[in-house]
């Protein structure tokens, strides 16, 4: 034994130490790690095949108390687990009971994150089977609070952090990730996290949350999903002063420094994972988001969820709403509060769809759509000072300072909130809209709930129960005048999981706007009579996997039609094929 000590602790005399001492934490510290001083190097090492204790600590394979007798024998688990065996169903029941006991949403979030890190299949089983209940926990609104407090609740790192420190080494950093086959990346730089602003490196909660939906809602394997946060600093003074902040403590890099890092990242991703890896940009600020999308949409498989995914989901909601309201899409007049990524992205897709339906040129169909930003209605006299993405919306009109006056002047049939500012659809605004529409369509898209332009209760009450309402974050059903109103959730979570699946199963190498229209059409077609009878303009999230399969099939069909699909031959029944590709979280049997 002494000679082993000697060999392993190269150079250090250990004969004067007591090898049986447990002071350092071990029984016999044969590898010398416990006694290593700060200046002494040790080797981190692990088994490559998980068995025994390491199997219980591996979230991808761990089944906890569900390991069978045979598996406990075959994988050295005897004694490491209490004798009882629980089915996955019973584990699920127990965990749901535990989660329901927490009163504070953030506690539910943390408990679910712990589960994800402990037992991945059980996490996804819970999420899939209880999607309507758990979506608000792993996603908006709770994920927003989690990002705000990410530094304090941080336990084990999730996803990949690429900061300015890794400049010149991004390819190496990607190679540190344990999985080789990656199909979907969600990346943020944390500058516009929901409607909460710049949360820097703590934005990581968003890619993690979005990718868990890729798996739960869209069936993309968890091992093929990679959450990434690019840390170029933050301009959030509070975070810069926060001793628990996990990111670079500097102001944001901009201009050349920013774009060089992003370019290195985009090139490294393609080099490491190939042409068919989907890169979803999420929650970048608009001064970078539009440029990044324009720069990489012709060379990479990229998709901006805030600009494009949101557009597809809102178009689907409006098309569905017209079944309740009557009239054609081209007959509607749209007014947006907020002319950023979501606002102008939605506006452009609606204009494109109207142009397709009516054969009118885009320049004409855009005229049905008006946007208000922080300076008022976007009109032609402001054109010179507008950012590029707003210019197509600068129509002829006298200046209008605020939303209420804009509603009175434009008389829209559809009012969409994409401002990130809560309480901006005031009583006066909703009443003005309701005064010129029998059934005004109101979408308060901003997240999380605190930033919603109005609540469901406000929309129904102020419109005297006439509004067709949907919001970005969920609201409970509302009682008004003896009737129950159920608000729909207009959130890109309906689109991106199925959209991504469609790209993956067809081996698409580029995203085209036609594919967004295809996704939107598939979603609108999934709204049932029962949904409409309840005043809903979206299907229930409880059927999301079926919806995602239809979206995936429509997107894949379009990819084949456009010649950007590489998976050949084309499967005959794309819905069935999409379903057959979906990850299911039931436990596997181990040999
Ligand atoms: N439901 C969903 O699926 C989605 C919801 N969202 C939500 O939409 C919101 C906006 O996101 P995004 O478009 O990316 O953000 P951007 O920052 O790109 O755009 C925000 C826009 O709102 C305008 N604005 C800000 N304050 C006011 C105000 N007080 N009055 C009028 N206009 C104002 C800004 O004006 P200016 O340009 O003058 O600064 C800007 O045009 C966020 O809360 C986000 O969570 C986003 C994507 C999807
Ligand atoms: C839903 C979403 O993507 C957002 O609020 O940014
Ligand atoms: Mg987003």
């Amino acid at each position: 034994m002494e000679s082993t000590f000697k060999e392993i602790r190269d150079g250090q005399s250990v004969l004067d130490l007591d090898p049986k001492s447990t002071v350092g934490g071990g029984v016999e510290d044969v590898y010398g790690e416990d006694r290593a001083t700060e200046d002494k190097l040790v080797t981190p090492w692990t088994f490559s095949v998980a068995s025994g204790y390491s199997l219980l600590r591996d979230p991808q394979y761990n089944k906890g108390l569900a390991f069978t007798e045979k598996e406990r024998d075959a994988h050295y688990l005897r004694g490491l687990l209490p004798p009882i065996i629980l089915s996955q169903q019973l584990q699920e029941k127990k965990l749901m009971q535990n989660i329901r006991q927490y009163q504070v949403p953030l506690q539910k979030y943390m408990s679910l994150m712990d589960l994800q890190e402990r037992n991945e299949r059980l996490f996804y089983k819970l999420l899939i089977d209880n999607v309507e209940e758990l979506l608000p926990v792993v996603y908006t609104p709770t994920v927003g609070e989690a990002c705000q407090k990410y530094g304090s609740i941080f336990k084990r790192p999730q996803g990949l952090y690429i900061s300015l420190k890794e400049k010149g080494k991004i390819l190496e950093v990607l190679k540190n990730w344990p999985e080789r086959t990656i199909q979907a990346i969600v990346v943020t730089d944390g500058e516009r996290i929901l409607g909460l602003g710049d949360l820097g490196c703590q934005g990581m909660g968003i890619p993690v949350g979005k990718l868990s939906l890729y798996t739960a809602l869209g069936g993309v394997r968890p091992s093929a999903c990679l959450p990434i946060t690019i840390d170029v600093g933050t301009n959030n003074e509070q975070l810069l002063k926060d001793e628990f902040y996990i990111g670079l403590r500097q102001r944001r890099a901009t201009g050349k420094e920013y774009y060089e890092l992003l370019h290195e990242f985009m090139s490294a991703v393609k080099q490491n994972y190939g042409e068919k890896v989907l890169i979803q940009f999420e929650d970048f600020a608009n001064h970078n988001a539009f440029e990044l999308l324009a720069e990489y949409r012709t060379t990479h498989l990229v998709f901006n969820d805030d600009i494009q995914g949101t557009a597809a989901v809102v178009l689907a909601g409006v098309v569905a709403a017209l079944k309740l309201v009557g009239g054609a899409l081209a007959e509607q007049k749209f007014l947006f509060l907020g002319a950023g990524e979501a606002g102008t992205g939605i506006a452009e897709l609606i204009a494109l769809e109207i142009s397709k339906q009516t054969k009118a040129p885009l320049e004409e169909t855009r005229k049905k759509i008006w946007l208000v930003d922080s300076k008022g209605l976007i009109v032609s006299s402001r054109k010179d000072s507008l950012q590029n993405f707003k210019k197509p919306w600068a129509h002829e009109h006298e200046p209008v300072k605020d939303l209420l006056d804009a509603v009175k002047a434009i008389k829209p049939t559809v009012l969409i909130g994409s401002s990130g500012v809560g309480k901006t659809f005031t009583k006066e605004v909703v009443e003005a809209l309701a005064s010129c529409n029998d059934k005004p369509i109101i979408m308060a898209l901003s997240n999380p709930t605190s930033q919603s332009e109005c609540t469901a209760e406000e929309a129904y009450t102020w419109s005297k129960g006439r509004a067709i309402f949907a919001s970005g974050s969920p609201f409970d059903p509302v009682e008004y005048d003896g009737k129950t109103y159920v608000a729909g959730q207009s959130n890109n979570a309906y689109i991106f999981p199925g959209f991504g699946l469609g790209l993956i199963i067809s081996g698409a190498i580029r995203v085209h706007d036609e594919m967004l229209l295809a996704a939107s059409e598939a979603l609108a077609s999934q709204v049932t009579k029962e949904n409409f009878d309840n005043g809903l303009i979206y299907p229930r999230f409880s059927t999301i996997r079926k919806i995602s399969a239809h979206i995936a099939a429509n997107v894949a069909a379009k990819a084949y039609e456009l010649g950007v699909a590489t998976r050949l031959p084309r499967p005959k029944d794309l819905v069935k094929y999409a379903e057959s590709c979906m990850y299911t979280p039931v436990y596997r049997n181990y040999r």
Side-chain angles (χ1 to χ4, degrees), residues 11-252:
Q12 187 186 343
S13 168
V14 294
L15 294 176
D16 52 342
L17 299 175
D18 172 10
K20 295 211 163 38
S21 162
T22 58
V23 172
V27 176
E28 279 188 285
D29 181 16
V30 289
Y31 299 103
E33 289 165 16
D34 294 341
R35 286 199 193 86
T37 51
E38 271 177 23
D39 55 352
K40 174 96 172 56
L41 303 178
V42 298
T43 308
W45 64 282
T46 179
F47 296 103
S48 54
V49 176
S51 82
Y53 193 75
S54 62
L55 179 56
L56 292 180
R57 292 290 178 276
D58 185 334
Q60 217 174 331
Y61 296 105
N62 180 29
K63 303 194 225 178
L65 291 178
F67 279 111
T68 62
E69 299 284 3
K70 209 169 137 236
E71 287 169 336
R72 292 177 190 212
D73 281 331
H75 295 281
Y76 307 96
L77 296 170
R78 287 278 165 209
L80 299 182
L81 291 164
I84 206 73
I85 294 172
L86 291 188
S87 65
Q88 196 179 20
Q89 282 70 19
L90 213 51
Q91 288 181 310
E92 180 177 355
K93 185 177 170 191
K94 183 187 79 174
L95 277 159
M96 284 308 295
Q97 274 181 11
N98 290 350
I99 287 168
R100 284 175 187 142
Q101 276 168 13
Y102 291 121
Q103 297 301 316
V104 179
L106 193 61
Q107 285 178 325
K108 292 181 196 245
Y109 175 89
M110 286 165 68
S111 139
L112 277 167
M113 289 303 107
D114 280 348
L115 177 61
Q116 189 176 20
E117 284 166 21
R118 201 168 67 236
N119 182 337
E120 191 175 85
R121 282 183 182 265
L122 192 54
F123 168 78
Y124 282 112
K125 182 109 179 48
L126 248 70
L127 198 47
I128 292 168
D129 292 348
N130 305 278
V131 64
E132 291 198 334
E133 183 175 348
L134 297 183
L135 201 58
V137 181
V138 297
Y139 193 54
T140 182
T142 311
V143 72
E145 189 186 352
C147 289
Q148 288 175 310
K149 300 178 178 159
Y150 212 72
S152 321
I153 65 173
F154 183 87
K155 285 187 187 163
R156 293 171 72 184
Q158 297 169 292
L160 205 56
Y161 292 87
I162 297 177
S163 77
L164 286 169
K165 285 193 204 170
E166 278 72 55
K167 191 169 187 313
K169 292 183 272 193
I170 296 183
L171 189 58
E172 286 168 47
V173 175
L174 292 180
K175 289 188 191 297
N176 288 343
W177 188 250
E179 302 292 344
R180 291 284 160 266
T181 310
I182 296 297
Q183 294 174 317
I185 290 174
V186 175
V187 59
T188 188
D189 72 357
E191 192 168 3
R192 195 286 277 142
I193 294 298
L194 308 177
L196 301 171
D198 183 352
L199 297 184
C201 196
Q202 301 196 165
M204 181 57 105
I206 296 295
V208 167
K210 291 267 177 186
L211 281 166
S212 68
L213 303 196
Y214 257 105
T215 299
L217 278 48
V220 180
R221 270 183 304 123
S223 60
C225 295
L226 173 54
I228 297 184
T229 292
I230 299 205
D231 184 354
V232 295
T234 178
N235 295 340
N236 183 325
E237 296 298 339
Q238 219 179 322
L239 288 181
L240 287 171
K241 280 189 235 138
D242 181 350
E243 61 176 329
F244 298 128
Y245 180 54
I246 56 170
L248 287 184
R249 220 169 279 275
Q250 66 169 72
R251 296 187 73 74
R252 280 188 177 271

Side-chain angles (χ1 to χ4, degrees), residues 192 210 282-283 306:
R192 195 286 277 142
K210 291 267 177 186
E282 192 70 51
D283 291 8
D306 301 299

Side-chain angles (χ1 to χ4, degrees), residues 441-454:
I441 299 172
I442 304 177
M443 293 192 177
L445 300 179
S446 293
N447 296 315
T449 316
S450 57
Q451 312 309 109
S452 189
E453 283 79 7
C454 67

Side-chain angles (χ1 to χ4, degrees), residues 261-303:
L261 192 78
L262 265 290
H263 191 67
E264 185 189 339
F265 166 71
M266 294 302 289
S267 310
V269 165
K270 197 161 156 182
Q271 190 177 340
N272 206 38
Y273 300 118
E275 183 102 3
K276 286 181 270 179
V277 61
L278 168 64
I279 304 170
Q280 173 166 319
F281 294 120
E282 192 70 51
D283 291 8
F284 284 73
N286 61 38
H287 51 251
N288 293 319
F290 287 100
E291 261 186 65
L292 289 171
L293 186 59
E295 176 71 25
Y296 294 107
R297 67 186 304 170
T298 53
T299 55
H300 290 64
L301 183 68
V302 290
F303 165 69

Side-chain angles (χ1 to χ4, degrees), residues 18 29 105 148 155 161 177 228 304 312 353 402 404 429 466 477 487 491 520 543 557 567 589-590:
D18 172 10
D29 181 16
Q148 288 175 310
K155 285 187 187 163
Y161 292 87
W177 188 250
I228 297 184
N304 184 303
E353 177 61 18
D402 65 18
L404 180 58
V429 166
R466 286 188 284 126
N491 193 293
S520 184
T543 59
R567 191 205 171 278
N589 296 321
Y590 301 146

